[in-house]
Amino acid sequence: MVRVSAPVRWLLRLVAVGYVFLLVAWPVSLVAVRTFEHGTADFLAIFTDPHTVAALKLTVMVAAWAVVINLVFGVTISLLLVRYEFPGKRVLSALIDLPLSVSPVVVGLALLLVFSGRTGWLGPSIEEAGWQVIYDSPGMIMATCFVALPLIIREVVPVLSEIGDDQEQAARSLGANGRQTFWRITLPSIKWAVIYGVVLSLARSLGEFGAVKIVSGNITGRTQTATLIVEAKYQNFEQTTAYSVAFLLAFISIACLVVVAFLRPSHQEA
Amino acid sequence: MSIDVTGLTKTYGDFVALDDVNVSLPTGQLTALLGPSGGGKSTLLRIIAGLDTADTGTVSIEGMDATRLPPQKRNVGFVFQHYAVFKHMTVAKNVAFGLEIRKRPKDEVAARVDELLKLVHLSQFAHRLPSQLSGGQRQRMALARALAVEPTVLLLDEPFGALDAKVRKELRDWLRRLHDEVAVTTVFVTHDQEEALEVADEIVVINEGRVEQVGSPDQLYDEPANDFVMGFLGEVTTLGGLTLRPHDIEVATSPYTAGAIEGSVHRMLRIGFEVRLSVLTVDGEDASVVLTRTHARSLGLVEGATVWLTPATGAAMVPSMQSSLAG
């Protein structure tokens, strides 16, 4: 390690801490301060407002579906990327990172182009079959899945490549079939990476705004999620409710990060 | 014959790993697949286990055609160079894996695991994780795990390659004793000729994807099929267009023996009890000769002396490739 003199060390610390404080800690803590400036009553009130409760329920439902879907596809795609060679593998790998670089608004518009009931490429025929995608939960789940797609894969892929396929081959030679090998050997080995990816996906899915706003139609009480209601309440001069919901979202995200922080050491041990 | 391999060919792109390999491995024996790295021996072992597939050719195990069988249906035990332990399971769970997959009753599994851990001297480590074991202990555990399913053949891929020299030697002796005890048909891959000569009943020498020779350690050492086998199994030198071992050359200080080749000692090196000579012959060959210190002293050898060399009676000799190419 390069040694730096004590004043420089202190300066570097000050810059780092100051930057994070001004950008993250202070603004977020102000949300908490605003939420609780008249006691806990304002905060608890959001659980009695039917629109807010509906929005929270919808958010949890959409996030849960998105995480489950991404879990199944994420682990499958990771296995595909690490264990198999096929044409187009690099293209697939690059596409998976797309949601990280593309604005969620673009994702929302793109989904609209395909699935919109009136003008979409596929939408009208799906709607005729009795399925509502856009302005309903399927579209919102799809948008959320899209933005959270890389999180599990990018956690699992490095772990899978690091452990190699020795253990899987050993299991095969001991009589295990593909399914048994996956459940008994592969999954336990990547367990912590999967859990970490799920926590990150959950945090990301709960907080998704742009893509969901476009595909949901933002219909109060029906397709309005927690992030959308924060914006709506804020613009309707119901700041206290907006702050309370915002605080709840921030609190859940921080709780997720704390959980991850507790998981990380055990992850490294294993 | 326990394992019959016929017409096996395997290529990776332009690289020919195995080239029309035909070999039969006898039941109940300990066979070594010996050869230089990249010679195809590991590929052959992995194809026998079903972990790789051949381009053409067939593999049969105990008379049953196994060419298209997946590894889990071949009933072979496989031990990997880097152990391939199940890191998240205890030693006992590792050993029990194959039996649990086969849905054996719990008490039977426990009894068998107990017995195997005793066999590999790991009973006191049953409840440890593999990360708490040394390399040698991990490999013994891997061996117990492979033996648990009572395989028809046991395949070991450079089993001691990742261990240090002392542990390797111990495990080598131990494998020989274990094989005498368990008597399962065993095939192991090695690039260490000493290991193969010491442990195996039969050795298959493989080089550049082809079988060079099959035979007992004595046969290979005494009657090598060609100068590759001869060179791979021990030190060699050339004398009069023949490849032979440096200790199989007799040195005389006068030209009495018929056919003796004249030369001069241009270097003499003493290592412990032996003396190594470099002799430049009149034909222009640089022959190395090994003799004991006592013998060298009794001949009064010094650097620059003129000597006459003859192959010892009964020495293993093969025509030298280099000289036949050059000549």
Side-chain angles (χ1 to χ4, degrees):
Chain A
M1 216 178 104
V2 182
R3 286 190 158 271
V4 288
S5 63
V8 175
R9 212 158 53 226
W10 280 104
L11 187 72
L12 284 174
R13 279 181 204 174
L14 198 69
V15 168
V17 171
Y19 182 77
V20 172
F21 177 77
L22 286 175
L23 211 59
V24 183
W26 190 34
V28 173
S29 64
L30 278 186
V31 172
V33 169
R34 281 297 169 84
T35 305
F36 295 107
E37 67 187 346
H38 308 294
T40 55
D42 289 335
F43 179 68
L44 293 175
I46 61 171
F47 297 107
T48 52
D49 175 38
H51 289 325
T52 313
V53 170
L56 290 173
K57 277 186 181 164
L58 183 66
T59 303
V60 169
M61 189 272 280
V62 168
W65 273 111
V67 166
V68 168
I69 291 168
N70 271 342
L71 175 64
V72 173
F73 280 95
V75 173
T76 314
I77 293 171
S78 303
L79 280 170
L80 204 63
L81 283 177
V82 178
R83 295 280 185 265
Y84 300 93
E85 287 300 326
F86 53 91
K89 179 169 152 172
R90 291 174 61 155
V91 177
L92 178 66
S93 181
L95 275 178
I96 284 161
D97 284 334
L98 197 66
L100 288 178
S101 50
V102 165
S103 164
V105 177
V106 178
V107 176
L109 281 175
L111 286 175
L112 219 54
L113 283 177
V114 178
F115 294 104
S116 166
R118 283 187 298 113
T119 56
W121 193 78
L122 206 63
S125 25
I126 293 179
E127 215 148 278
E128 263 171 46
W131 291 79
Q132 174 90 11
V133 176
I134 299 300
Y135 308 136
D136 207 342
S137 20
M140 296 159 74
I141 292 169
M142 279 165 77
T144 311
C145 276
F146 187 106
V147 296
L149 175 71
L151 296 172
I152 289 178
I153 297 172
R154 290 298 160 223
E155 282 300 318
V156 172
V157 161
V159 177
L160 262 184
S161 6
E162 191 201 312
I163 59 170
D165 59 354
D166 271 15
Q167 296 184 53
E168 288 160 19
Q169 289 186 355
R172 284 304 186 88
S173 77
L174 289 167
N177 59 31
R179 204 167 42 84
Q180 288 166 322
T181 306
F182 175 76
W183 286 106
R184 286 168 183 256
I185 303 301
T186 314
L187 198 59
S189 325
I190 58 171
K191 182 172 66 179
W192 290 112
V194 170
I195 291 173
Y196 190 62
V198 162
V199 172
L200 283 179
S201 294
L202 186 66
R204 182 76 186 83
S205 303
L206 289 172
E208 175 45 30
F209 176 76
V212 167
K213 183 169 183 183
I214 290 182
V215 297
S216 70
N218 201 2
I219 307 162
T220 309
R222 233 168 54 72
T223 65
Q224 200 168 42
T225 61
T227 47
L228 299 181
I229 214 167
V230 170
E231 191 205 24
K233 295 283 182 192
Y234 190 84
Q235 285 170 347
N236 281 341
F237 305 103
E238 297 177 50
Q239 265 94 341
T240 331
T241 318
Y243 287 133
S244 299
V245 178
F247 170 77
L248 187 64
L249 285 172
F251 178 78
I252 293 169
S253 297
I254 290 169
C256 284
L257 291 179
V258 170
V259 168
V260 165
F262 273 104
L263 291 182
R264 261 280 138 111
S266 45
H267 175 183
Q268 275 157 357
E269 269 168 41
Chain B
M1 287 292 158
S2 182
I3 303 170
D4 276 297
V5 168
T6 39
L8 218 57
T9 298
K10 171 81 178 174
T11 54
Y12 295 100
D14 292 342
F15 177 70
V16 181
L18 293 174
D19 183 10
D20 191 25
V21 167
N22 297 284
V23 68
S24 294
L25 306 174
T27 308
Q29 300 254 43
L30 184 54
T31 307
L33 301 182
L34 175 68
S37 304
K41 53 199 186 326
S42 281
T43 309
L44 176 59
L45 197 77
R46 292 175 58 84
I47 290 173
I48 294 172
L51 299 173
D52 267 336
T53 48
D55 300 338
T56 58
T58 59
V59 174
S60 78
I61 299 172
E62 296 282 347
M64 186 179 64
D65 182 21
T67 315
R68 308 242 167 276
L69 280 184
Q72 68 265 30
K73 300 232 169 93
R74 296 193 184 200
N75 200 33
V76 297
F78 201 95
V79 174
F80 298 79
Q81 180 176 2
H82 297 286
Y83 329 128
V85 296
F86 302 144
K87 287 182 192 152
H88 60 285
M89 297 181 189
T90 62
V91 170
K93 277 282 174 195
N94 262 277
V95 177
F97 185 85
L99 298 168
E100 284 177 355
I101 288 288
R102 284 166 175 72
K103 304 229 163 28
R104 296 281 169 77
K106 269 208 176 111
D107 44 346
E108 187 194 317
V109 173
R112 179 97 179 111
V113 168
D114 233 37
E115 179 191 330
L116 281 160
L117 287 179
K118 227 171 264 162
L119 185 72
V120 299
H121 311 295
L122 287 175
S123 297
Q124 69 272 42
F125 300 117
H127 301 293
R128 296 247 185 117
L129 281 174
S131 55
Q132 295 164 293
L133 301 184
S134 71
Q137 290 170 332
R138 281 184 216 182
Q139 198 57 302
R140 295 210 308 263
M141 183 199 85
L143 207 62
R145 184 176 70 179
L147 286 172
V149 299
E150 290 172 2
T152 31
V153 289
L154 181 63
L155 307 173
L156 305 99
D157 188 3
E158 303 247 4
F160 314 131
L163 302 167
D164 60 61
K166 187 166 169 288
V167 179
R168 190 155 68 215
K169 186 122 180 45
E170 276 170 24
L171 273 192
R172 190 198 284 177
D173 298 343
W174 178 79
L175 175 69
R176 181 67 239 185
R177 273 182 280 124
L178 182 80
H179 180 264
D180 295 340
E181 238 173 276
V182 185
V184 57
T185 306
T186 305
V187 183
F188 76 103
V189 160
T190 180
H191 59 258
D192 180 346
Q193 86 284 352
E194 197 189 318
E195 191 166 290
L197 289 171
E198 197 179 312
V199 176
D201 299 314
E202 179 151 288
I203 299 176
V204 179
V205 182
I206 297 178
N207 182 39
E208 291 179 342
R210 284 185 310 272
V211 174
E212 300 276 1
Q213 191 176 3
V214 183
S216 69
D218 286 350
Q219 277 172 341
L220 256 61
Y221 201 84
D222 297 340
E223 303 147 35
N226 53 40
D227 74 341
F228 172 80
V229 174
M230 181 139 188
F232 200 75
L233 286 184
E235 218 177 318
V236 289
T237 185
T238 53
L239 182 69
L242 294 170
T243 299
L244 72 172
R245 309 227 177 267
H247 59 253
D248 279 345
I249 297 178
E250 279 176 1
V251 182
T253 45
S254 46
Y256 294 138
T257 322
I261 295 164
E262 190 186 337
S264 66
V265 178
H266 76 92
R267 216 171 47 196
M268 203 169 141
L269 184 67
R270 184 195 162 176
I271 305 156
F273 67 88
E274 64 175 38
V275 172
R276 293 172 182 226
L277 303 179
S278 278
V279 177
L280 207 57
T281 67
V282 287
D283 307 335
E285 282 175 325
D286 187 1
S288 45
V289 182
V290 172
L291 56 170
T292 64
R293 171 82 178 146
T294 329
H295 192 189
R297 193 180 291 161
S298 71
L299 290 170
L301 292 175
V302 286
E303 279 189 12
T306 302
V307 291
W308 282 264
L309 305 178
T310 37
T313 326
M317 287 179 289
V318 292
S320 164
M321 279 298 201
Q322 280 87 352
S323 70
S324 65
L325 283 176

